[in-house]
Amino acid sequence: MQPFTLEQGRGITDTIARGRAPGADYIAGGTDLMQLLKDDVRRPSALIDLEGLDLGGILVTAQGLRLGAMARMGEVADHPAVLRDYPVISEALLASAAPQIRNLGTIGGNLLQRTRCTYFRDTASPCNKRAPGTGCAAIEGNHRTHAIFGGSRHCIATHASDLAVALAALDATVHLHGPNGERDLKVTELHLVPSDHPDIETMLHPGELILAVTVPAGAWTRRSHYLKVRDRASFEFALTSAAVALDIQGGTIRAARVAAGGVGTKPWRLPAVEQALVGAPATADTWARAGQLSTAEASPLTENRFKVRLLQNTVACALEQAGGQT
Ligand code: SF4
């Protein structure tokens, strides 16, 4: 591990000034970052601790839900109003990590966690994301867990956050603060597909911080569900996952939100599936057809071809579990 200084800013402006300096990195819960430091994958010269900033809190209003960037995963997952009105968020967080990690990990940090591609975390392997221009070991190597949406010839790594999939489905917004002031982005706009630059993963500017995430209220949020399929029942990342939210009235689907995880180089919203669901009856046939449609644009490689069928079933089951609550 490379030596670094640990700093704390005096307020948000000073923190951002320190965070935009070359070699600086922010640290919140540190649950992902500490392992990356130990593995020499990230080598910052300074860590800027966000713990002293007033960025926590969970607020529920008639307009929606506001989660502070430093709110802990565990407190959000267990919050009564989140459990009642936004179950897909709670379920995504509970499926993400063990209680010890949920007690430390933050909402902002979870959205910005790095890929679990084993080659990215092994400094002896070529990896365009960690070391631009060195190649991608996964494309010709072991890519069983890698993406079937959004990959390029330079990178096929999946985004690891379950929470980001749920937030993408619910049209959430991230509120940012950077050297040039505040701005907002949709969660679906925050992460980038790898294209020619897998090392550039988000729309964040140097030094820019996530302040909070807001989720608009909607008739579909209560009837929502997160389903995660993985190689073992806990402490594991998604092979496939689906976040769904439905508004059903009189047996007909009035609105639908669907996003997939474990399959995309970023949280993968499925608008064609949503459009096909609206106006359809809430029946087993509808869920099965939506599942089939979910992989219409998939581009699997040899070892991850099984994810096509698996995602179809994951989407259909998630919809059935949410839609079956009438
Ligand atoms: Fe690196 Fe992406 Fe290739 Fe994995 S898939 S080795 S993260 S370039």
Side-chain angles (χ1 to χ4, degrees), residues 98-110:
Q100 295 93 331
I101 300 292
R102 296 202 298 269
N103 287 340
L104 265 181
T106 64
I107 296 302
N110 186 280

Side-chain angles (χ1 to χ4, degrees), residues 117 119-120 126-129 136-138 146 154-157:
C117 173
Y119 301 111
F120 171 74
C127 171
N128 287 324
K129 189 180 282 296
C136 171
H146 286 65
H154 301 292
C155 180
I156 52 170

Side-chain angles (χ1 to χ4, degrees), residues 173-193:
T173 296
V174 282
H175 304 277
L176 308 172
H177 199 316
N180 297 320
E182 296 190 25
R183 67 181 179 126
D184 296 341
L185 280 179
K186 290 286 190 188
V187 166
T188 48
E189 300 168 338
L190 174 64
H191 303 97
L192 298 171
V193 294

Side-chain angles (χ1 to χ4, degrees), residues 235-302:
F235 312 129
E236 190 57 276
F237 293 86
L239 289 172
T240 60
S241 72
V244 304
L246 296 169
D247 175 20
I248 300 174
Q249 294 175 29
T252 299
I253 302 163
R254 301 295 181 195
R257 304 283 186 273
V258 183
V263 290
T265 52
K266 57 181 278 184
W268 208 257
R269 186 90 179 253
L270 294 165
V273 175
E274 297 172 359
Q275 287 160 21
L277 285 167
V278 174
T283 62
D285 279 352
T286 296
W287 313 138
R289 274 198 301 275
Q292 291 288 323
L293 194 55
S294 68
T295 56
E297 295 178 2
S299 300
L301 298 176
T302 317

Side-chain angles (χ1 to χ4, degrees), residues 15 65 74 93 132 141 153 167 208 235 245 272:
T15 299
L65 174 68
L93 288 167
R153 63 193 177 92
L167 294 175
E208 206 163 31
F235 312 129

